[in-house]
Amino acid sequence: SQTIHQWPATLVQPVGSPLSLECTVEGTSNPNLYWYRQAAGRGLQLLFYSVGIGQISSEVPQNLSASRPQDRQFILSSKKLLLSDSGFYLCAWALSGSLAYEQYFGPGTRLTVT
Amino acid sequence: AQTVTQSQPEMSVQEAETVTLSCTYDTSESDYYLFWYKQPPSRQMILVIRQEAYKQQNATENRFSVNFQKAAKSFSLKISDSQLGDAAMYFCAYRRETSYDKVIFGPGTSLSVIP
């Protein structure tokens, strides 16, 4: 069966510090991968998605970036965090190809920028 | 562009009663998928139910069922025999029938279950 991991679970970082959130998927190959942000009491905002190694599509221009160095690894980064980057970050995966259906979510990372 | 609307920010239901959450979407596509996700206080997103647009029959998963009205672009979720564990944020979501396209989520409905 497939599992998705995210770490860290909780992170408190000062403004201007760098960020690296990691997401890995087990039990499947060449998944589509997604990063979402969810502000408190709000819906999900798609940040990035990837359909393969090195292929990243950005949905929202901001000071965040994403990378996919390996098939089942997706990293969300920032060089300098802003207060507005606080939120709950969710990684998700989906099957690739024409049989792709729903997305499966990781447990999330709660980021607080102080 | 496709959009998903959930017009009920908050809903409440008495335990053991039935509640219906509304969702409408806008698309020019004919083939697509619709989903309802549940996000309990733990914030883990859980898939509740899926509907393929080409299927006329409404999807059902135990106490959860949908009313899919393709022409009206409406996709409501009915929860029967509500339980305390059903209290959560519920998100309606849409995806085109392409191999990698992103899922578009609605703003969510917060459901409270009153014991």
Side-chain angles (χ1 to χ4, degrees):
Chain A
S1 63
Q2 301 88 3
T3 55
I4 178 169
H5 304 280
Q6 280 187 250
W7 65 89
T10 305
L11 190 61
V12 180
Q13 292 282 89
V15 169
S17 64
L19 173 73
S20 181
L21 302 181
E22 188 165 342
C23 170
T24 59
V25 180
E26 296 177 355
T28 188
S29 297
N30 194 31
N32 296 335
L33 296 171
Y34 308 82
W35 277 113
Y36 290 89
R37 177 169 59 200
Q38 185 179 31
R42 305 286 295 277
L44 280 73
Q45 178 188 35
L46 179 65
L47 302 175
F48 302 94
Y49 68 96
S50 171
V51 300
I53 296 175
Q55 301 178 59
I56 309 294
S57 295
S58 175
E59 289 294 307
V60 181
Q62 56 206 337
N63 69 319
L64 298 173
S65 62
S67 62
R68 185 170 177 173
Q70 300 182 41
D71 181 43
R72 292 168 291 175
Q73 184 184 30
F74 206 23
I75 296 172
L76 183 69
S77 304
S78 173
K79 292 182 179 178
K80 289 185 178 181
L81 283 168
L82 306 173
L83 286 175
S84 58
D85 291 325
S86 292
F88 190 64
Y89 288 82
L90 286 159
C91 181
W93 74 273
L95 290 170
S96 61
S98 60
L99 294 181
Y101 290 128
E102 59 270 18
Q103 295 180 358
Y104 301 92
F105 288 81
T109 294
R110 185 181 307 277
L111 172 65
T112 303
V113 182
T114 59
Chain B
Q2 295 87 11
T3 58
V4 177
T5 302
Q6 293 177 250
S7 59
Q8 307 153 314
E10 296 179 353
M11 293 277 288
S12 62
V13 61
Q14 205 77 27
E15 195 175 4
E17 296 295 310
T18 296
V19 64
T20 299
L21 308 183
S22 301
C23 172
T24 59
Y25 57 95
D26 184 26
T27 183
S28 58
E29 305 288 332
S30 59
D31 296 319
Y32 48 88
Y33 304 100
L34 296 165
F35 311 93
W36 278 99
Y37 281 89
K38 169 186 177 181
Q39 188 179 40
S42 68
R43 304 198 78 171
Q44 174 73 54
M45 291 283 284
I46 304 164
L47 177 70
V48 175
I49 202 164
R50 178 186 74 214
Q51 174 78 44
E52 292 89 339
Y54 65 85
K55 290 186 177 179
Q56 294 186 341
Q57 186 173 6
N58 290 322
T60 299
E61 286 289 342
N62 300 315
R63 297 183 294 107
F64 299 88
S65 61
V66 299
N67 183 3
F68 173 48
Q69 302 289 329
K70 191 172 184 179
K73 297 180 183 177
S74 171
F75 183 60
S76 60
L77 175 70
K78 185 171 81 172
I79 306 174
S80 304
D81 186 25
S82 296
Q83 301 175 0
L84 295 177
D86 294 333
M89 281 288 289
Y90 287 83
F91 294 95
C92 179
Y94 161 97
R95 188 179 77 77
R96 291 190 308 175
E97 195 189 32
T98 56
S99 61
Y100 56 81
D101 209 358
K102 57 185 178 290
V103 175
I104 299 171
F105 286 82
T109 296
S110 177
L111 177 67
S112 301
V113 180
I114 304 167

